[in-house]
Amino acid sequence: EAGVTQFPSHSVIEKGQTVTLRCDPISGHDNLYWYRRVMGKEIKFLLHFVKESKQDESGMPNNRFLAERTGGTYSTLKVQPAELEDSGVYFCASSRREGEPQHFGDGTRLSIL
Amino acid sequence: KNQVEQSPQSLIILEGKNCTLQCNYTVSPFSNLRWYKQDTGRGPVSLTIMTFSENTKSNGRYTATLDADTKQSSLHITASQLSDSASYICVVISQGNLIFGKGTKLSVKP
């Protein structure tokens, strides 16, 4: 069984540019989560999809962040325009059902210059 | 405010030695507690899960304890190996939400 895959593994962009992160969950996992870890802080929840629907987006920092999961398969997280404080590692996780253990991807390390 | 505090922040031990990592939490309501291992450049991987009624659970050389009354958990690593070098993250699950600690960075030296 392939794990959760994230692309790219690293991204370096300038302030004001746009970046799109992608997450492919484990096949058959309806639940997909986005998390973020900024330097020196703990990992924090961003949002949760159940299939293609946003179940909880209470952790999204502001409207510069847009997450989509069209078709209920892979998900994208777009940051537009990127700001310096958006730098960090963005993790995606998936689970078959809510409440079951979440499997994490290796993250995308985003650096805003 | 729901918080998970871990100590120490970092730890260096010699290969073959034991160590214990601590986790204190102020999370309510409590569903369960997980310890994750995160290798550098990789995502967190679950080591153990503790429910409210469990006091101790082992997974190989890893033993986790939970005291739900004092809201404390520990992760004990026995006979450490070089491959144990990683960050160990305590995560408390509350109503389906994962609340993470900052982690303890463990370095095992030969």
Side-chain angles (χ1 to χ4, degrees), chain A residues 33 35 37 40-45 56 89 91 98-107 109, chain B residues 1 32 34 36 38 41-46 49 87 89 95-103:
Chain A
Y33 306 81
Y35 296 89
R37 182 172 193 161
K41 300 284 190 180
E42 65 275 19
I43 298 171
K44 286 193 174 176
F45 167 81
D56 180 357
V89 183
F91 290 102
E98 196 169 348
E100 290 188 350
Q102 296 180 22
H103 299 264
F104 284 80
D106 288 338
R109 183 173 296 277
Chain B
K1 181 182 177 184
N32 53 68
R34 290 179 181 271
Y36 282 84
Q38 185 179 13
R42 305 299 300 273
V45 175
S46 180
I49 177 171
S87 286
I89 305 173
Q95 295 180 312
N97 299 314
L98 273 61
I99 301 157
F100 293 78
K102 290 185 180 180

Side-chain angles (χ1 to χ4, degrees), chain B residues 23-28 30 33 66-73:
Chain B
C23 173
N24 296 340
Y25 61 92
T26 54
V27 176
S28 183
F30 174 92
L33 183 148
L66 175 65
D67 186 333
D69 291 330
T70 62
K71 297 189 177 181
Q72 295 179 324
S73 176

Side-chain angles (χ1 to χ4, degrees), chain A residues 9 12 14 30 33-34 40 43 53 61 65 67 72 76 78 80 94 101:
Chain A
S9 56
V12 181
E14 292 186 346
D30 287 342
Y33 306 81
W34 283 99
I43 298 171
S53 300
F65 289 75
T76 58
K78 183 192 295 188
Q80 180 183 28
S94 73

Side-chain angles (χ1 to χ4, degrees), chain B:
Chain B
K1 181 182 177 184
N2 287 333
Q3 280 189 312
V4 178
E5 303 285 344
Q6 292 188 243
S7 62
Q9 191 172 30
S10 62
L11 182 62
I12 301 174
I13 63 173
L14 292 176
E15 185 179 11
K17 298 296 186 182
N18 304 336
C19 66
T20 300
L21 314 180
Q22 301 290 345
C23 173
N24 296 340
Y25 61 92
T26 54
V27 176
S28 183
F30 174 92
S31 295
N32 53 68
L33 183 148
R34 290 179 181 271
W35 282 93
Y36 282 84
K37 179 186 180 187
Q38 185 179 13
D39 292 312
T40 302
R42 305 299 300 273
V45 175
S46 180
L47 291 174
T48 67
I49 177 171
M50 308 285 290
T51 59
F52 186 86
S53 58
E54 293 176 309
N55 299 120
T56 304
K57 183 172 281 188
S58 292
N59 177 7
R61 294 179 298 102
Y62 301 104
T63 299
T65 66
L66 175 65
D67 186 333
D69 291 330
T70 62
K71 297 189 177 181
Q72 295 179 324
S73 176
S74 68
L75 181 69
H76 185 76
I77 304 175
T78 304
S80 61
Q81 300 176 357
L82 299 179
S83 58
D84 292 333
S85 295
S87 286
Y88 291 84
I89 305 173
C90 177
V91 181
V92 179
I93 293 86
S94 176
Q95 295 180 312
N97 299 314
L98 273 61
I99 301 157
F100 293 78
K102 290 185 180 180
T104 292
K105 186 175 174 65
L106 175 66
S107 297
V108 181
K109 303 294 187 184

Side-chain angles (χ1 to χ4, degrees), chain A residues 1 10-11 13-14 23 35-36 40 43 46 50 64 79 81 83 85 89 93 101 103-104:
Chain A
E1 177 183 74
H10 293 84
S11 181
I13 62 171
E14 292 186 346
C23 169
Y35 296 89
R36 176 175 74 170
I43 298 171
L46 295 178
V50 177
R64 294 185 293 102
V79 185
E83 298 290 341
E85 64 265 24
V89 183
H103 299 264
F104 284 80

